Amino acid sequence: ALIFSSDLGSFPSDLGFFFRALFVILLCQALLLLAGALYQLFCRRDPHAVLYNFGTFLTNVVFIGLPFVHTLYGRNSQSMLYMAVFIILNNIFTFSYGIWLLKRGTVEHATLGSMLRNPPLLAAIGLIVLYILHWHLPPLALSSLKMLGQLAPPLSMMLIGASLVGTRVDELLSDRALLVFTVLKMLFIPAAIVITLRLFTDDVNLLGVSMICIATPTGVMLPMLTTLHRPMLSLMSNRMVTITTAVAILTIPLVNLTVSMPLPFGAVCQ
């Protein structure tokens, strides 16, 4: 609902703009995948190495990134279009490469149908189709979707909070490898990627959305997929989601300060 409630009239109609943005977003995703692969390579003797890889590029773009961008930028900007592309790519890599990692080279569950049944992916594809064809939703549908979209931030916080139940803080803080992963995933990797993206674009909105997407915590899909495909790693995947979610309220502003990105944080207080 948040995606479809975006005002397409505020988007540039030049398709060249869209493809330039697509290139930057693809580069961003490629750098995330590279960071995860390098992390697994350096930690290959660690039994959780595959999770460090998956947890690096699987970011919580739907339940944290999407409400965050909507709150900061509103629906009257091209930022929601950028988010739509991020969500599409995030789902594609999660249900193909991510499951391939967990299944050690097999892709029996990474089917096209499983990806296309994902609601955020379908909504993101729909927004891009509307943008390309210059179609607009009727005012009644737009206002209804806007009201539904306003439920997303509190509902996402409830879901994330539920995933933290039963987690012991002392267990998280005593795991040195997990703490190192958290610092790299939540601070150093996002800052390095945003600095790299600045070499290719000066679009402040695009850079801001990219920073938010890659600085969000590890996605809540990781424990679910790990339980299905490699159950012995499910406890560690829950810890990864818990600790990255807990520190995100501090690390996202720190990354923003590090890369000097002028995010409109004042919108949150309005």
Side-chain angles (χ1 to χ4, degrees):
L2 268 183
I3 295 173
F4 272 120
S5 66
S6 303
D7 183 4
L8 289 171
S10 66
F11 297 156
S13 58
D14 178 18
L15 284 181
F17 149 83
F18 173 75
F19 287 112
R20 288 191 296 270
L22 178 62
F23 167 76
V24 173
I25 295 172
L26 282 170
L27 176 61
C28 180
Q29 290 290 331
L31 291 173
L32 264 182
L33 291 171
L34 177 61
L38 290 175
Y39 205 120
Q40 182 175 359
L41 178 63
F42 287 121
C43 302
R44 57 186 177 274
R45 295 183 180 179
D46 190 311
H48 303 120
V50 65
L51 284 184
Y52 296 142
N53 184 352
F54 201 173
T56 297
F57 71 82
L58 175 57
T59 58
N60 203 339
V61 294
V62 174
F63 293 112
I64 292 184
L66 185 57
F68 199 172
V69 168
H70 187 267
T71 301
L72 290 178
Y73 293 99
R75 68 186 188 91
N76 296 315
S77 72
Q78 63 264 40
S79 302
M80 296 304 289
L81 179 63
Y82 299 150
M83 280 301 305
V85 178
F86 267 108
I87 289 172
I88 290 174
L89 294 178
N90 185 266
N91 277 273
I92 289 174
F93 289 124
T94 296
F95 290 98
S96 55
Y97 177 57
I99 293 180
W100 176 83
L101 286 174
L102 293 178
K103 295 295 292 182
R104 293 187 177 184
T106 66
V107 290
E108 56 183 286
H109 295 286
T111 63
L112 181 61
S114 66
M115 287 189 283
L116 292 180
R117 286 192 297 268
N118 187 281
L121 176 63
L122 294 175
I125 293 173
L127 178 65
I128 292 177
V129 170
L130 291 176
Y131 167 76
I132 292 176
L133 298 178
H134 303 293
W135 289 350
H136 298 272
L137 293 176
L140 179 60
L142 195 62
S143 61
S144 300
L145 289 170
K146 182 181 178 182
M147 287 188 288
L148 284 175
Q150 290 172 346
L151 296 174
L155 289 177
S156 64
M157 292 302 103
M158 291 171 62
L159 177 62
I160 293 167
S163 69
L164 306 181
V165 174
T167 302
R168 296 181 54 181
V169 176
D170 58 333
E171 293 178 350
L172 297 178
L173 298 180
S174 62
D175 191 330
R176 180 181 296 181
L178 180 59
L179 293 177
V180 171
F181 165 79
T182 302
V183 172
L184 290 175
K185 187 258 186 302
M186 299 299 291
L187 287 174
F188 289 98
I189 292 175
I193 291 178
V194 172
I195 291 172
T196 303
L197 295 180
R198 278 183 156 172
L199 301 176
F200 297 90
T201 183
D202 57 359
D203 185 334
V204 176
N205 281 350
L206 178 55
L207 290 170
V209 171
S210 299
M211 193 216 74
I212 291 171
C213 287
I214 60 181
T216 53
T218 297
V220 293
M221 283 298 298
L222 182 62
M224 302 177 191
L225 294 175
T226 303
T227 301
L228 286 173
H229 303 295
R230 198 178 289 190
M232 71 286 295
L233 299 178
S234 59
L235 177 60
M236 184 60 173
S237 64
N238 273 293
R239 291 179 177 177
M240 290 171 64
V241 172
T242 299
I243 193 169
T244 55
T245 301
V247 303
I249 193 172
L250 297 175
T251 56
I252 293 178
L254 283 175
V255 173
N256 179 57
L257 290 174
T258 301
V259 300
S260 301
M261 186 61 59
L263 291 183
F265 282 112
V268 179
C269 304
Q270 294 178 357

